[in-house]
Amino acid sequence: MATTTATIELPAPADRVWQLIGGFGSLPDWLPYIPTSEASEGGRVRTLTNEDGGVIVERLEAFDDAARTYSYSILQAPFPVTGYLSTIAVHAGKDPAGARVEWSGTFTPDGIGEAEATGLFRGIYADGLAALKQSLTG
């Protein structure tokens, strides 16, 4: 099983960051790559459509509002991995007025090497966190 993590420090309070990204259906609010998110199964499943028209279906596995974290698995996606589980967490930052966001995932590469799979998701997470910073700071 492979794992990767991306982290970013943001110049916004953790509660404000969580308010923006903490909803399971909120990706279109801060991630331009995902313009559409449709909820099903009472909000536990989201069907995402990326800007290229690709579909990704994810299931909410754990949610902790007080700890500002949620975890999700992939049910359907064009990614060459199986057993995918990811967590997004918002923590207090090094600067008391800031926040640190960590996006991590574990998965088993399927048809590609571990380094390639890890690089793919590290890039997705890093690009997503950069988009989050842009959403917060304009």
Side-chain angles (χ1 to χ4, degrees):
M1 186 161 279
T3 184
T4 192
T5 302
T7 304
I8 193 168
E9 291 281 333
L10 299 169
D15 285 340
R16 178 172 167 226
V17 175
W18 181 244
Q19 185 175 22
L20 176 61
I21 72 170
F24 191 55
S26 71
L27 286 179
D29 296 341
W30 59 273
L31 191 60
Y33 177 70
I34 303 291
T36 305
S37 177
E38 294 181 18
S40 60
E41 294 189 26
R44 294 181 310 273
V45 172
R46 64 185 178 194
T47 300
L48 309 172
T49 304
N50 68 26
E51 59 191 4
D52 299 326
V55 174
I56 303 162
V57 181
E58 299 172 334
R59 175 179 296 283
L60 182 64
E61 300 291 348
F63 181 87
D64 187 332
D65 194 46
R68 296 186 298 254
T69 184
Y70 72 81
S71 297
Y72 63 94
S73 61
I74 290 179
L75 302 177
Q76 171 194 330
F79 304 125
V81 299
T82 60
Y84 179 93
L85 182 66
S86 183
T87 300
I88 293 179
V90 179
H91 307 283
K94 292 177 186 172
D95 175 342
R100 180 174 51 86
V101 179
E102 183 177 284
W103 196 348
S104 62
T106 60
F107 42 85
T108 300
D110 184 13
I112 64 172
E114 185 170 320
E116 188 177 353
T118 299
L120 170 69
F121 285 102
R122 185 178 302 120
I124 289 170
Y125 300 162
D127 290 350
L129 293 176
L132 172 60
K133 183 174 186 176
Q134 182 66 32
S135 292
L136 285 165
T137 60

